[in-house]
Amino acid sequence: MEGNTFTGAARYTGSRVHRVEDARLLTGRGTFVDDIVRPGMLHACFVRSPFARARIDGIDADEARALPGVRAVLTAADLHPDVHEPWYSTAGKDIPDNPRPPLAEGEARFVGDPVALVIAETRALAEDAADLVLVDFDPLDAVADYTTAAESGALVHEGFEANVAGQLRGRGRRDVDEVFASAAHVVEEVIHQQAYAAVPMETRGLVVEWSGEDLTIWSATQAPHEVRAFASRLLGLPEHHIRVIMRDTGGGFGQKVVPLREDMCLMLAARKVRAPIKWIEDRRENLMAAGQARHEHATAAMAFDDDGTILAARIDHVQDVGAYPTPWPVGTAAAVGMLFPGPYRMDKASWSTVSVFSNTAGRTAYRGPWMYETTAREVLLDIAARRIGIDPVELRRRNMLSADELPYSNPNGMPYSDMSPREVFEQALGIVDYDGFRREQAQARTEGRYLGIGTSSYVEPTTTAMAPYGTEGATIRIEPSGTVNVYLGGGSTGNSLETAAVQLAADALGVDIADVATIQGDTAITPFGGGTGGSRSGSMIAGAVTETAAGLRERIVQIAAGLLEAAPEDIELAESRASVRGTPSKAVTLREIADVAYFKPHALPPGVPAGLEASGRYAARSPMIWANATHVCTCEVDVETGLVRILRYVVSEDCGPMINPNVVEGQIAGGTVQGIGGALLEHLSYDEDGNPTATTFLDYLLPTIADVPDLEYGHIETPGPGAGGYKGVGEGGAIGAPAAVVNAVADALAPFGADITRLPIGPADVVRIVEAAS
Amino acid sequence: MKPAPFEYHAPVALDEAVGLLGELGDGAKVLAGGQSLIPMLALRLAFFDHLVDLGRIPDLQRVERVDGSLRVGAAVRQSAVEHSAEVAAAVPLLARATPLIGHFQIRNRGTVGGSIAHADPAAEYPAVALTLDAVMEVASPRGSRDVPAADFFTGTWTTDLADDEVLAGVRFPTWEGRCGFAVEELARRHGDFAIAGATVAVELGADDTIRRCAIGLFGLGPVPERGTAAEQSLVGASAGDVEPKALGKQAVADLSSIPDDAHGPAEYRRHVGGVMVARAWQRAVEEARHA
Amino acid sequence: MHETEVHVHVNGADRRMRVEPRTTLADALREELHLTGTHLGCEHGVCGACTVLVDGDAVRACLVLAVQAEGAEVTTIEGLTPDDGTLSPVQEAFRANHGLQCGFCTPGFVVSVTALLRDNPDPTDDEIREGLSGNLCRCTGYQGIMAAVRQAAGR
């Protein structure tokens, strides 16, 4: 198993295999966390702050506790003494983290901040009781706007001066400034991205059950082993006394990658209340308290020479991290600066980033958390093109890296390799017929119609190998009857990891796909895994399965060779049978081989152990695996009403070879539509007092099926250094889409002269641009 | 998000419903389709001790012709209106407004009376009622009374109904002759609440003169409005002389309480309202010319 | 405030449920009858994940009180699934076209699509998009769903 090739014939890998998850999910037989029922189970509900910032002078829960059916009302005083070490594996123990108390203690720091935990016989009763809890709030001036937080005078967290959670900067600023000072063209803009969020269709939730010795947690999560590790540290309870189970989880996109404060409260409450407890977040809570993302702005600039060649890039980035960012957000923000040069050739770049607290929901991870670098860069490039007087595609052609220039270190030290930036760009433009569209656009303008086209190109570090993501384990058991079970840590929240595992294992063992099943996401049963996140699972699961399968394959071949009286190198495995090459009638089934392995060990060849079970662990071969894509969007803008209609949307992407093209395209589609939402519709908005104004689906607008066209895909397969050459694809759609849409709208409105530097673009914003021009 | 507790009553006759409301006082609320009320209860934005469900009263589910009007029982489902050939023929404006209401799952439960009594400023049916000068039939322990649409909508989510009154039905006048009807609304996504909308009815003479017209506006104030000044300037004019965009601007020029929020600043709503009037006018006239 | 007994015909069987008046049909189906295929995505009638059929009509089960369903015929995703272990044509079309990822919105979509195609067996793309604009999905970008509905409509 050296190199990038499988030892097995790729019969299933690479093809559009139908999903094994679908049978249960299509028939309503999935097991989501709200489907879990435990004997004597109680239900939890949080009392939450209605103020963005307020002192908590007292909590009177007498009336609430007296309500029939109410079992407990727990406050910080009840839960916090049991807190040991609440830190996250990805961030580590020693980072300069902000406080993150399970419940608000002494001060509420955002509207929705959990203040007390009510536990009752039903959720409805718990909500009734929550309404009876009297919290003595003394409202304070809130830091509602991160852009003025430094001057606010109020501190979100004591000890964090000017409300700065942290800052980082790259080198070379002086050199870059010198280049800017003498460049033929400098284009600089402040680009604002709004707060929006992952909004999975299933909200957060968990069930906790304490047995007196062991804690069992059913969780809606992307990483069951991180839930276990975190619970162990939080509670001071050894890991082997904790079991975390996830079966079906309804979307995560980063929001479920680590336990958040409410999860902490339930873990702490488990040993205090003598019954299993279920907490299912409702949608209003999810929009208020599960965290925000994407809220940031930067002064972004590029210097060009006369003919549009990029000389240098500079970005000074500021992001809103809310009151309780989780986990520590400062490190990820560095990626914004370091990736700002994107897929373009340039000698110099500099960056800085500042993370600022505000009295709003904390920043949590969301699909490509650093994606602002693509929004800022690609929007800036179109603005530059219009100002310099070059077609935006031509400007990119002059500067975009092509595959034969790689490996290439960008000026911030990012080591690009195994990508095809210029190639996907050209492929996407070919699919959309760029020149044809420009002709169509010109014709439409003569008819008073406004069409536009926008592109967006990015590079993405997937499958990063930092702890706890650097390894992935698998256990494969060929059962006595010859069928196969593949055990993986999992973490799929829709990522089709069961199907991927089954495809990969079937090929690695030469087994019919109908003979393979997978068990994932139970820490008592499945090997340690990092979960889903950072677009890692395709590569890491491929590695885990193929490494583990290789040893088993060896044993199968040996046993078959013995049974068939042939040389091992002449044995072929396919469709759950081992046969002699050239003589297909000389064959034995995997069932017969397993029968020998388990029940006739005396008949095994010398040196071959009994049984057919193996565990293995794959270690990532490189610190990251690069993937890239180009998005192209065309639109028509109704300049009377401001409504934008997307006409065509093309994504040409390079995630290397594909385990399952359906899954790849599905991931791109989902992320892309989230990005379209981010460009046009979604806004987790707050008023000037820090009150959230989008707390239901009536105000937080998700894209519907009527808002998006059929997506068109192009694929280029540049293998990466990981197992199978597979690269990550989960996050890319959400990274590339917003800029493509913004650029398309700006292009449509080019006759009206204004640039768009603030997202989202609503119809009122479009009309304002049109009216300002006349 | 579970509602606070309440008692539930399902009378089978109108007088029983009305009697219950009288008895239960202002802690009681009428439940029709529930598509507006139940979310408010779930969000605990509203609290009632009693819900009186009108859904099992046969008298409220009829659609029938009555002297130049179509009388629609308050509990008639929006989906029934949507698929009714009778409504399409008698009150095209009501039929055409219906597919704009939310989504089909909502319309399978939502009712005509419920939408009108809920009086959401961005709702279509109140505007249709106002545009056609519909008459609301109101029942109470004191008997029944008729309320013209112009007097029925008194504020955001507020109507002329007293706490112990039930909207039992609505009589929509039918228009005869060379008529055209159109509804245009601007929503961020299909089925969303309108940011601004217009309902237009026009009757043309044989010579293309405007014999009669009505322009309704919704989403542009706490209650639906009629563009009365614009209407008056149109009657007697030749349809060919009307410039739709100018008409639109005129219809919205004097509105003074346009909502202003994240979905639409006031000036944007006014502007779009004018565009909706223009587009609805054009379509209605086009239809009337071919009638 | 007190519980009451509701009789509903669910998926072809007469069922009794003890519910409070405030209990929604969605919660009653899930908690009393353990038909957990109907999912709660928002509880305020926007996302469509809770769609079921009541007397043949697709409705948001979170916006129907269980007591309002007294005597009604209710069909959930479980009831649309054939008894013999196969999938219905709509379910099969979703499977064949990668029409689901996490599966949380899927029962609502399957019920809604089943109702739409029953009433309009040959919809245009615009009719499909308009008809399903009240069902939200966050995973698929709706691509596999469009393909599934086209296939189920015989295209």
Side-chain angles (χ1 to χ4, degrees), chain C residues 35-87:
Chain C
L35 292 167
T36 57
T38 301
H39 297 149
L40 303 178
C42 76
E43 294 185 285
H44 52 278
V46 180
C47 77
C50 67
T51 308
V52 299
L53 302 180
V54 173
D55 293 331
D57 293 330
V59 300
R60 292 157 167 8
C62 74
L63 295 190
V64 177
L65 301 175
V67 289
Q68 289 183 290
E70 169 70 41
E73 191 88 41
V74 174
T75 308
T76 69
I77 181 69
E78 293 91 343
L80 288 182
T81 304
D83 284 332
D84 58 0
T86 61
L87 297 175

Side-chain angles (χ1 to χ4, degrees), chain A residues 54-136:
Chain A
R55 247 201 340 266
I56 299 169
D57 290 330
I59 300 178
D60 177 0
D62 289 348
E63 204 184 344
R65 290 192 182 107
L67 195 66
V70 174
R71 190 68 66 89
V73 179
L74 303 172
T75 65
D78 298 310
L79 296 181
H80 290 188
D82 293 339
V83 172
H84 285 67
E85 294 188 3
W87 51 272
Y88 297 93
S89 304
T90 46
K93 190 173 180 179
D94 297 319
I95 37 109
D97 210 353
N98 50 272
R100 200 175 292 109
L103 286 172
E105 181 164 26
E107 184 171 322
R109 292 187 164 86
F110 68 101
V111 174
D113 197 348
V115 171
L117 177 61
V118 177
I119 296 171
E121 285 169 9
T122 67
R123 170 76 185 206
L125 279 171
E127 291 189 21
D128 295 342
D131 283 348
L132 296 175
V133 174
L134 298 171
V135 183
D136 189 3

Side-chain angles (χ1 to χ4, degrees), chain A residues 127-128 131 282 284 638 640-641 643 680 699 701-702 763-764 767 771, chain B residues 1-2 5 43-44 186-189 245 263 265 268 271 275-276 279:
Chain A
E127 291 189 21
D128 295 342
D131 283 348
D282 69 37
R284 185 170 42 187
D638 179 334
E640 284 193 313
T641 63
L643 284 179
L680 299 175
D699 293 313
L701 304 180
L702 295 180
V767 167
E771 289 188 332
Chain B
M1 259 158 31
K2 317 297 179 191
L43 289 162
R44 299 202 178 206
L186 192 285
R188 294 291 296 274
R189 303 170 303 176
K245 289 187 185 173
H263 290 302
Y268 170 72
H271 164 86
V275 175
M276 295 299 105
R279 293 181 183 179

